[in-house]
Amino acid sequence: MDIFAVPTKPYSDQTFGTSGLRKKVSVFGQEHYLENAVQSIFDCLDNFEGKTLIIGGDGRYYNNHALQVIIKMAVANQFGHIIVGQDGLLSTPAVSHLIQKRQAFGAIILTASHNPGGKEGDFGIKYNISTGAPAPAALGEAFSKRCANIDRYWTSKIPDIDLSKQSEINISSTLIEIIDPVIDYAEYCQEIFDFEAIKKLFSSGFKMTFDAMNAVTGPYAKYIFEEKLGATPGTVVHGKPLPDFGGLHPEPNLTYAKDLVDLAYSEQAPDLCAASDGDGDRYMILGKSFFVTPADSLAVFAEYMEKIPFYKGKFYGAARSMPTAAILDAVCQKLKKECYQTPTGWKFFGNLLESQKISLCGEESFGAGTFHVMEKDGLWAILFWLNILALTGESPKKIVQKLWKKYGRFYTKTYSYHTDAAKDVDHLIDALSSKIPTLPGKKINNFVVQKVYLFDYTDPVTNEKTTNQGVVIDLSEDARIFVRKSGTSSSGATLKVYLSQKSKTSTPDPALFLTDLETAMQDLLQIQKYMGNKAEVSAT
Ligand code: G1P
Ligand code: ZN
């Protein structure tokens, strides 16, 4: 077999952020762009020759082409065993599980998560290490550094591999195995949850609609919900992974899963509506005319964790990302468990999970998980809800309302301001940071500023410091504003402002509750002054 080095030149924009390298398909389509990224990853790894590499993606446009390129490069770089999902598919949590099950050296996942796909859409590549977790910050930085200096990559002259069938192919000293992407993950879910109880729930007439958003979880959901758990055929909608996600934006939230939300609030609403994102690590839950916020959902998991046999005696503690509402902290306090606050991004949970400081973690951005895999996991979260509903016989609304009664209700709203002028976001954050010493004690709208600080994080396991993760503004009235720059924009920059306030009264008007805080946000941040009128604004 012919293995050879191809000379190449670095690109200036190849940086691995919190979720790997994410760019427009047109950027990835530039000569050697993908190859540079892949070789840079390999160049930063040691002693992988002869070992196992898993490769899969969420099925978006460019997935299949990229897979063939990476397989050829992995063979040339002397991996001994390459495992690829049939049709190039593997959800992010399924990869994480498979790494552990097959004791792989690592995995390459091709996804831009919840970002739109298609020719005009986004593409991405990320690397997960042998624990199943995403590459830690230092490794990501090493990839970026290598990308800046790369001058050659290794590839091999082998025919394209047929990914449409499960098979095993030997090429020189490398075994290429095309596997069923669903079965191992589905079996694992069955070990975690009480499938018998959930089956009974469905056979009693319980109805669910799961929207796979034309992305990777369709085949997983059809097998698990409809075949294994007996949910009515048709429970899974948008179940076929499409390269452009059928034009949908595969992000399960109130904006992009609007049809599902409308269904949940209609006369025909099933008992449970759920959705998952492009690569299957995010999820959304709705009961009849009831939206479960990700922070409330996380708190529900904490509350019921030890009722799931897999977790009995294994609730060590929990963690949430800083912008996630603090109801989890309240549950943990009651249960006498430690609760950590991490910067945004799943990778900050890795060490805490591995060292058993925590078992449960999540973010406000519709992601949650436990030590069962080292990624957030959308279908796992939905199965967790099904298991709780089967155990209690209660509705999602009832379950969350009980929680509010016990721990208080936290209202949240997140504003995103996207601009092509990335500098504007930096200027705003710099200006705010420089005002930190002068803000405490100041009256803003109906609030008094209490404490303002830059959020820096020291990993409790490794003592590694991560600085400048945003600005926290604690206000009176149990209110908080948190400001940070998004780490996953594929172009320009996005300012994110997270509002949160705990309600003292039991039934405030949800539509009006945060209006004072919104005014305070505008007064404090002067977003228009820094970002003008051109920024694209969205609120969730
Ligand atoms: C966003 C979310 C964050 C999540 C990440 C990857 O990052 O806010 O919680 O971990 O996507 O899915 P951001 O764009 O805010 O940096
Ligand atoms: Zn995702």
Side-chain angles (χ1 to χ4, degrees):
M1 187 210 11
D2 207 358
I3 291 178
F4 54 99
V6 180
T8 183
K9 284 201 190 104
Y11 284 89
S12 58
D13 64 344
Q14 289 196 308
T15 37
F16 283 73
T18 41
S19 309
L21 174 67
R22 215 175 263 183
K23 296 282 173 196
K24 293 270 168 229
V25 166
S26 53
V27 174
F28 264 100
Q30 298 174 89
E31 192 184 27
H32 306 324
Y33 195 92
L34 171 70
E35 289 86 343
N36 283 7
V38 174
Q39 190 63 53
S40 296
I41 293 174
F42 292 160
D43 285 351
C44 294
L45 308 174
D46 289 320
N47 301 322
F48 56 79
E49 292 80 4
K51 302 205 174 127
T52 304
L53 178 73
I54 295 169
I55 321 174
D58 61 11
R60 67 178 60 229
Y61 186 85
Y62 212 60
N63 196 45
N64 287 348
H65 168 75
L67 273 167
Q68 298 294 349
V69 169
I70 298 170
I71 292 170
K72 290 181 177 72
M73 290 181 67
V75 169
N77 280 274
Q78 321 237 304
F79 277 95
H81 189 178
I82 301 170
I83 299 176
V84 190
Q86 190 177 354
D87 295 322
L89 298 177
L90 274 171
S91 77
T92 292
V95 169
S96 190
H97 169 242
L98 215 53
I99 291 177
Q100 291 192 352
K101 182 165 182 186
R102 298 295 202 97
Q103 297 181 336
F105 185 86
I108 287 180
I109 311 176
L110 302 174
T111 177
S113 187
H114 50 284
N115 290 3
K119 236 183 181 152
E120 313 296 324
D122 288 355
F123 189 72
I125 175 166
K126 64 176 209 158
Y127 181 76
N128 281 32
I129 59 174
S130 61
T131 58
L139 190 56
E141 277 160 29
F143 297 160
S144 307
K145 254 195 176 155
R146 180 63 190 138
C147 280
N149 292 310
I150 188 124
D151 56 1
R152 56 91 190 96
Y153 66 86
W154 290 95
T155 189
S156 54
K157 232 183 207 128
I158 57 170
D160 278 0
I161 305 295
D162 180 0
L163 300 177
S164 68
K165 294 193 285 287
Q166 289 166 39
S167 63
E168 290 188 7
I169 305 155
N170 278 295
I171 293 180
S172 178
S173 53
T174 307
L175 168 67
I176 301 175
E177 191 186 353
I178 317 297
I179 61 156
D180 178 334
V182 172
I183 196 80
D184 299 280
Y185 176 81
E187 279 171 4
Y188 190 41
C189 288
Q190 191 162 3
E191 275 175 45
I192 301 172
F193 296 109
D194 187 346
F195 270 34
E196 283 315 308
I198 303 174
K199 245 193 221 168
K200 269 199 205 128
L201 179 73
F202 279 120
S203 67
S204 73
F206 179 92
K207 290 275 176 285
M208 163 166 116
T209 295
F210 171 77
D211 191 340
M213 305 191 92
N214 296 320
V216 77
T217 50
Y220 293 85
K222 275 191 198 151
Y223 181 70
I224 295 173
F225 297 139
E226 296 183 7
E227 282 185 46
K228 296 287 283 186
L229 293 169
T232 330
T235 292
V236 178
V237 298
H238 296 132
K240 189 176 182 319
L242 301 173
D244 64 349
F245 305 125
L248 296 182
H249 186 137
E251 180 167 3
N253 61 27
L254 296 175
T255 309
Y256 296 117
K258 184 155 185 319
D259 289 352
L260 187 75
V261 176
D262 288 347
L263 175 68
Y265 281 85
S266 73
E267 293 275 304
Q268 297 79 36
D271 302 288
L272 183 72
C273 284
S276 191
D277 76 329
D279 62 330
D281 57 356
R282 294 185 178 203
Y283 74 105
M284 178 170 71
I285 294 286
L286 296 132
K288 283 187 184 183
S289 300
F290 189 78
F291 166 62
V292 183
T293 70
D296 284 339
S297 181
L298 186 62
V300 167
F301 294 154
E303 180 87 352
Y304 288 88
M305 187 123 188
E306 299 237 26
K307 298 235 160 36
I308 310 286
F310 186 82
Y311 296 114
K312 198 147 188 55
K314 291 190 182 156
F315 188 4
Y316 313 126
R320 61 167 171 88
S321 65
M322 188 57 168
T324 309
I327 184 162
L328 177 70
D329 309 37
V331 181
C332 285
Q333 201 180 8
K334 181 85 194 280
L335 298 175
K336 299 198 169 49
K337 307 284 176 192
E338 192 72 40
C339 186
Y340 298 85
Q341 283 112 58
T342 60
T344 292
W346 201 258
K347 65 185 175 196
F348 291 100
F349 296 130
N351 291 331
L352 294 169
L353 284 168
E354 246 180 87
S355 62
Q356 300 195 337
K357 284 193 180 303
I358 63 165
S359 355
L360 174 71
C361 47
E363 300 188 273
E364 101 315 320
S365 53
F366 297 84
T370 60
F371 54 76
H372 75 289
V373 293
M374 298 297 280
E375 285 275 7
K376 56 194 166 208
D377 190 345
L379 288 173
W380 164 89
I382 296 161
L383 285 163
F384 202 143
W385 267 98
L386 284 168
N387 207 148
I388 294 172
L389 300 178
L391 286 178
T392 59
E394 289 169 351
S395 68
K397 183 173 178 177
K398 181 87 192 285
I399 284 172
V400 175
Q401 282 179 336
K402 271 169 47 185
L403 209 74
W404 291 341
K405 213 163 166 206
K406 225 165 142 182
Y407 303 106
R409 181 171 178 184
F410 292 73
Y411 289 85
T412 54
K413 194 159 186 180
T414 302
Y415 281 94
S416 298
Y417 297 85
H418 183 75
T419 171
D420 291 332
K423 277 191 294 197
D424 293 353
V425 175
D426 296 331
H427 288 159
L428 187 150
I429 293 180
D430 288 349
L432 178 65
S433 308
S434 69
K435 276 191 272 177
I436 287 179
T438 64
L439 288 172
K442 224 175 170 176
K443 214 170 166 273
I444 295 173
N445 207 11
N446 295 327
F447 303 93
V448 180
V449 180
Q450 293 187 323
K451 198 172 155 197
V452 190
Y453 57 100
L454 290 177
F455 179 40
D456 296 335
Y457 178 69
T458 305
D459 188 305
V461 182
T462 61
N463 281 326
E464 197 185 328
K465 282 202 165 37
T466 310
T467 54
N468 267 328
Q469 293 301 299
V471 185
V472 187
I473 306 161
D474 283 333
L475 303 167
S476 56
E477 313 301 319
D478 283 324
R480 187 183 70 187
I481 301 176
F482 181 56
V483 184
R484 61 178 281 275
K485 182 175 164 181
S486 155
T488 63
S489 305
S490 61
S491 63
T494 305
L495 174 78
K496 289 196 168 178
V497 186
Y498 306 87
L499 307 180
S500 139
Q501 189 172 3
K502 186 177 168 186
S503 142
K504 284 187 190 131
T505 56
S506 55
T507 51
D509 182 342
L512 298 178
F513 190 68
L514 290 176
T515 47
D516 278 352
L517 193 56
E518 284 170 328
T519 313
M521 164 185 108
Q522 293 300 349
D523 286 0
L524 252 167
L525 305 183
Q526 300 177 350
I527 294 167
Q528 278 221 339
K529 175 177 156 195
Y530 289 96
M531 301 190 61
N533 293 322
K534 284 197 206 107
E536 248 174 71
V537 191
S538 62
T540 49

